[in-house]
Structure formats: structure tokens, C-alpha cells
Amino acid sequence: MKFIKDDFLWGGATAASQIEGAYDAGGKTLTLLEMKPFLPIKDRTAIHFGGQTKEEMLESIENKKNLHYPKRFGIDFYHRYKEDIALFKEAGMNVYRMSIAWSRIFPNGDDKEPSKEGIAFYRNVLTECKKAGIKVMVTMHHFDTPYEITKKWGGWKNREVIDLFVRYAKVLFKEFDEMVDYWLPFNEINVAIWSTEVGLGVFESDFNSKSERNSAAYQGLHHQFVAQAKVIELGKKMCKLQTQFGCMVANITTYSLDCNPINEMENLKSQQISRWFFYDVVAKGEYPNYIKRNWKENDINVNIDEQDLKLLKNNTVDFISFSYYMSATVAVELSQKASGNVSMGGKNPFLKATEWGWQIDPIGLRITLNQMWDRYQKPLFIAENGIGVLETLNDQNTVEDNYRIEYLSEHFKQINEAIKDGVDVFGYTMWTPIDVVSASTNEMSKRYGMIYVDYDDYHNGTGNRFKKKSFEWFQNFMKTKEL
């Protein structure tokens, strides 16, 4: 079977906090993600976002307990980016989705001037990508609110952080406009609701009640919606005409566990609150009625003024990007649960799952693409998709990762089918082209990449890169487009 779209973008995605290391280079400050230590995982299928007390995170600044903080070291991309981008080119990637760390540009969030060292680093990375003939999609905020923003401003629950973020975006547009093809203001913006620490830079332990916590989460999310709209408005004025601006949502595709109307209704409500709401705001520019009812019934209070609504309506995204790793089931009463990217769901008896309990559902990607195209009629981009596995190098210094080849191949086939269905999907970046520190569990041993990085969970190892079998498979796919 041949992939039918010649101009499709194929590549990989990474996040600054999971690859760069050099956490204090050029005056860079810590983010909340870099304040979380690695702790041995007792249950891989549990949800691991958050879980630390405020006191534990504050103790991490001086590290008096001598714990290991993996995201402070990443895979040393800061020093090895040329080597890694050369490998991306060798694999055949024609697009790279990367993130820029806010705290590397404005270490304190509100500095008078941006960091020259930070700007120089990203200019070097982007220059290397352009030399390699690789298009670039940049995420401006990938779960890495600077701790200084949390300390001084209270994170995204404070409306003034909007202006700080727009100021940061202005510097990125000014410095890197000609080098970036696509901009995403926020990664998986809906994570704000599931983890205020990860999504908003707000300590979960600061809240005294569920109502207070949820009100702050949605208020912080609203501020991010407004910030995204302002960034799009600014970018349209500052950037070259062909530059595109998108969103990024952690997509949660679910099915009713059975055909019981009660469970069908439960799934509809789940999809509205966990999925469609976020797309509706950024793609249609409107808060849907169902979220207003949800807020009213759950004592959630969000301050939204008329100017915010006009801004959202007038600055919707050019394209929709999303992560898709798995699907789940929904019912009023679930007897068996399954893990997922940002939330738990129900088990599906027709699907296999990874060691982390994420259910593998390639057809679900085709369903997702059709649903979103029918609903929004905006170009679609799959920003994250991949499989995390425990892996070690064999005697030939490679990994025979046939399971990854199968996973990628089956998802590629379903993208092809969606295009035949008439869906306008223009690109795909796997998570990830190279092993990285896990966002949620802080593991190096949860490996997603086509390229093996020789570090363990405590960063013992050489850090050297080795090609897995999937690297050669993808390289061949890019040459032949045969599925």
C-alpha cells in the first residue's frame, strides 16, 4: 500500500524540559517539572502527573535530600543538538516539532531584557534544522511555566501572566520568524484541568476545596485561551504571510462501553468536557453552552469579560494539532479501568495495551480525524503519537523494536485511510524520534524513540545515541512511502 499524499509532513516531536538538560546554563531558572525527582515506579498504569507536595517541590531547589532530578539533565540536547538533528535528517524527517523554554529566554519571566545566551542557543538549533532541510513547528509553552512565575505571580491563575507570555512570544517572533513554519502557543492546553502544576504552574496543595481548585484551574485555562488568542493576533502582524498558528490538545477519544443509552449519554458528556470543549474555544472562538451548565452545576466560577470573548472569536487557529496515543471506554459504572496520557478511562476488551496500560487503537485515529474534520473543517496535524516501552541495547548496539514498527505502521495506514475519506490532515510528528525523559513518570526507561539514548533513570551511562530497527524502517518508509 502506498501513502497517497506527496506533500505530507513526517517527523518527530520533543519538549525542551525532556531533552535539553543544562538547566542553569545562561541563567536559566527551574520550572516545576524540573523540581520533580525520579522515584521508582510502583504502578506503571497509574496517573503520575503531580503527586508532590508544595514543600517537597520547594525542597528540591537546594536538593538537601540528594535526589535525582532527570529533567535537569534530559538527554543533553543542549550540547548534542547538532548530532541529534543530523540523525533526524538521516532518518528522513522533513518536520521537527520542538519547544522553546520560556525560562531560557526570560529566566525570571519578567526580566527587563531576554537572555542573549538563550536566544543564541535556539537560533543555532533552528539554523541547524534549516540546513538539514527540516521544517520547524515550535511550541512556546510545553508544561514548563518558570518557577519564578509561580513564586512571584501565582502562575496562570493570575491574569497578569498573559501579558508576560505575550511579551515572551513577541521576542520569539522577532528573533525566529524566518526560521519557524508553524507556531503552537501551548502544548496539550487541556492538561490545565487535570494538573494545575503541570499545566498552569499552580501548586495543587494551595487549594482548600474542590470548588476552589476547579475554579482556579478553569480560570487559569481561560487566561491561556486569551494568551493564545493574543499571540495569534500578534503573530499575524509580525510574522511572514505563510506562517501558520495552531492549537495543541491532549485528545481523549472514547467509546461508550455498550449500547445502553445511559452509557451513551455518559460518553457524550465525557467527550464534551474532556475533549470538544477545548477545540470549540480555540477553533470556533466560543464557549459552548454545555461547559456553562457544567460550571453552574459544579460551583465553578470563571471571570470572563466581553473583550475576552471578542478576542477569542477574532483569533481562532489556522489548524488543529493534537496528541493521540490511545482510546478508552466510558460508562456510568466501570468495572475495569485503563490508564492513559492524562486521565484514566475504561478498558476495551477488543484492544491490547502497553506496559503503562495505554490501549493501542490505530482505527481510533481514523475515527478521531474524521470526527474533527467533520466538526471543525480546519486542517489537522497529529502532533504526538507513539509507544513507550522498556528497552535495552542488544549485543549489536541496537533494539529490535518490531512492536514500534507495527504500532507506527498501523497508525500510518489509518492516516492514509482518513485522507481517502476526505480529511484534510497535513502532517504527523511521532513522540518521539529519540528517547527522552518521560513527562509524567520522569523515567528514561520508558522509551519512545527510534534512537536509543544510553542513560538509565539516574542518568548513569554514556548518553551516546544508537539507531533502533525502527530508525531504518522509518528511513525506508520516507524513501518509498510504502506501508
Side-chain angles (χ1 to χ4, degrees):
M1 180 193 302
K2 196 98 170 175
F3 195 83
I4 64 173
K5 199 169 184 180
D6 292 333
D7 59 349
F8 199 83
L9 297 176
W10 294 102
T14 62
S17 65
Q18 294 169 256
I19 64 166
E20 285 182 2
Y23 67 96
D24 56 358
K28 181 185 177 299
T29 59
L30 292 174
T31 67
L32 264 62
L33 287 181
E34 293 164 333
M35 295 165 70
K36 183 178 179 181
F38 171 74
L39 300 172
I41 308 299
K42 295 179 181 179
D43 179 7
R44 294 191 186 279
T45 63
I47 297 295
H48 292 277
F49 274 132
Q52 276 185 285
T53 66
K54 181 177 180 178
E55 289 70 28
E56 287 172 332
M57 296 187 80
L58 294 179
E59 284 177 358
S60 76
I61 297 173
E62 297 181 13
N63 196 12
K64 293 179 180 179
K65 294 183 179 179
N66 198 30
L67 296 172
H68 180 59
Y69 293 86
K71 292 189 180 74
R72 300 183 189 183
F73 302 92
I75 58 170
D76 198 24
F77 180 80
Y78 189 85
H79 297 106
R80 303 182 72 153
Y81 67 89
K82 288 187 178 181
E83 176 185 358
D84 292 340
I85 293 168
L87 284 167
F88 298 166
K89 178 182 179 181
E90 185 182 345
M93 285 171 45
N94 57 24
V95 65
Y96 175 38
R97 177 181 166 240
M98 56 173 278
S99 77
I100 289 177
W102 187 358
S103 59
R104 205 176 283 289
I105 302 298
F106 285 105
N108 299 296
D110 57 359
D111 309 72
K112 289 184 178 180
E113 298 293 334
S115 165
K116 292 180 180 178
E117 293 93 334
I119 289 171
F121 168 68
Y122 289 114
R123 181 174 288 115
N124 290 339
V125 171
L126 292 167
T127 299
E128 208 67 24
C129 289
K130 289 304 173 186
K131 282 164 55 179
I134 298 173
K135 289 191 174 185
V136 179
M137 179 179 289
V138 165
T139 309
M140 299 178 177
H141 184 288
H142 196 125
F143 298 158
D144 52 0
T145 302
Y147 169 60
E148 294 300 319
I149 293 286
T150 298
K151 183 170 72 173
K152 295 180 184 178
W153 304 88
W156 279 97
K157 66 182 180 182
N158 186 339
R159 189 179 177 93
E160 293 187 58
V161 175
I162 296 173
D163 291 335
L164 297 177
F165 187 74
V166 173
R167 181 167 170 259
Y168 158 60
K170 186 175 183 178
V171 171
L172 300 190
F173 293 149
K174 177 177 177 288
E175 297 290 342
F176 308 129
D177 170 29
E178 295 299 321
M179 310 171 88
V180 176
D181 303 278
Y182 306 93
W183 292 99
L184 302 176
F186 294 94
N187 176 69
E188 294 186 330
I189 196 167
N190 47 336
V191 167
I193 304 307
W194 284 281
S195 173
T196 62
E197 290 166 358
V198 175
L200 301 171
V202 178
F203 291 115
E204 295 275 359
S205 57
D206 282 351
F207 305 114
N208 297 312
S209 67
K210 184 177 180 180
S211 173
E212 181 189 353
R213 185 262 179 212
N214 289 341
S215 294
Y218 278 103
Q219 187 68 63
L221 174 67
H222 174 70
H223 292 157
Q224 289 189 343
F225 283 147
V226 171
Q228 176 162 292
K230 286 193 171 189
V231 165
I232 292 172
E233 183 179 54
L234 177 66
K236 294 289 186 182
K237 296 175 182 176
M238 291 185 66
C239 296
K240 55 185 182 288
L241 291 177
Q242 63 268 36
T243 302
Q244 298 286 296
F245 298 85
C247 64
M248 207 304 217
V249 176
N251 187 78
I252 304 168
T253 298
T254 57
Y255 314 119
S256 174
L257 182 62
D258 53 33
C259 55
N260 186 332
I262 295 174
N263 290 334
E264 287 282 3
M265 190 66 232
E266 190 71 12
N267 185 52
L268 173 61
K269 290 191 292 184
S270 174
Q271 290 281 275
Q272 287 176 332
I273 303 303
S274 302
R275 188 181 179 204
W276 298 129
F277 157 55
F278 308 96
Y279 294 119
D280 284 353
V281 174
V282 300
K284 294 181 178 180
E286 299 172 353
Y287 275 92
N289 287 330
Y290 57 77
I291 198 67
K292 297 174 186 176
R293 175 179 176 176
N294 177 271
W295 289 350
K296 184 177 180 180
E297 293 179 351
N298 290 281
D299 192 25
I300 295 171
N301 301 297
V302 184
N303 294 319
I304 301 173
D305 63 38
E306 286 301 315
Q307 283 303 114
D308 291 347
L309 296 177
K310 289 180 182 178
L311 189 72
L312 293 175
K313 189 66 177 176
N314 294 331
N315 295 282
T316 56
V317 294
D318 298 317
F319 67 95
I320 293 171
S321 85
F322 61 94
S323 58
Y324 176 89
Y325 292 97
M326 71 282 149
S327 65
T329 61
V330 171
V332 174
E333 294 183 10
L334 284 171
S335 58
Q336 291 183 303
K337 289 193 174 183
S339 190
N341 183 20
V342 294
S343 64
M344 299 290 285
K347 280 192 176 181
N348 187 329
F350 301 101
L351 300 178
K352 295 178 181 178
T354 72
E355 293 158 283
W356 281 261
W358 297 21
Q359 299 180 119
I360 302 170
D361 182 13
I363 294 174
L365 179 54
R366 179 183 177 185
I367 293 169
T368 300
L369 289 167
N370 271 275
Q371 288 175 333
M372 291 208 286
W373 175 246
D374 289 346
R375 189 177 180 108
Y376 300 110
Q377 296 285 298
K378 284 182 181 279
L380 305 175
F381 187 96
I382 302 153
E384 290 182 24
N385 170 250
I387 182 171
V389 182
L390 293 169
E391 295 173 323
T392 55
L393 288 174
N394 62 21
D395 294 341
Q396 286 74 47
N397 280 333
T398 188
V399 178
E400 297 286 330
D401 56 342
N402 293 315
Y403 41 82
R404 181 169 290 107
I405 293 170
E406 180 183 5
Y407 181 99
L408 295 174
S409 176
E410 291 304 310
H411 283 80
F412 290 7
K413 289 175 184 176
Q414 294 303 321
I415 297 170
N416 207 32
E417 291 300 317
I419 293 170
K420 292 178 184 177
D421 294 335
V423 175
D424 182 1
V425 51
F426 68 96
Y428 170 101
T429 46
M430 73 180 73
W431 189 268
T432 66
I434 187 168
D435 292 344
V436 302
V437 176
S438 169
S440 58
T441 65
N442 266 344
E443 296 170 289
M444 270 302 303
S445 53
K446 184 182 184 182
R447 299 183 182 274
Y448 282 90
M450 303 183 294
I451 302 163
Y452 185 95
V453 178
D454 183 29
Y455 285 129
D456 67 11
D457 292 329
Y458 295 93
H459 279 84
N460 299 308
T462 64
N464 290 338
R465 279 63 163 149
F466 301 92
K467 302 168 195 173
K468 303 177 190 178
K469 186 176 180 179
S470 57
F471 183 97
E472 294 182 5
W473 171 85
F474 182 78
Q475 187 181 55
N476 184 64
F477 168 74
M478 289 303 293
K479 291 175 182 176
T480 66
K481 298 300 189 296
E482 289 287 342
L483 293 167

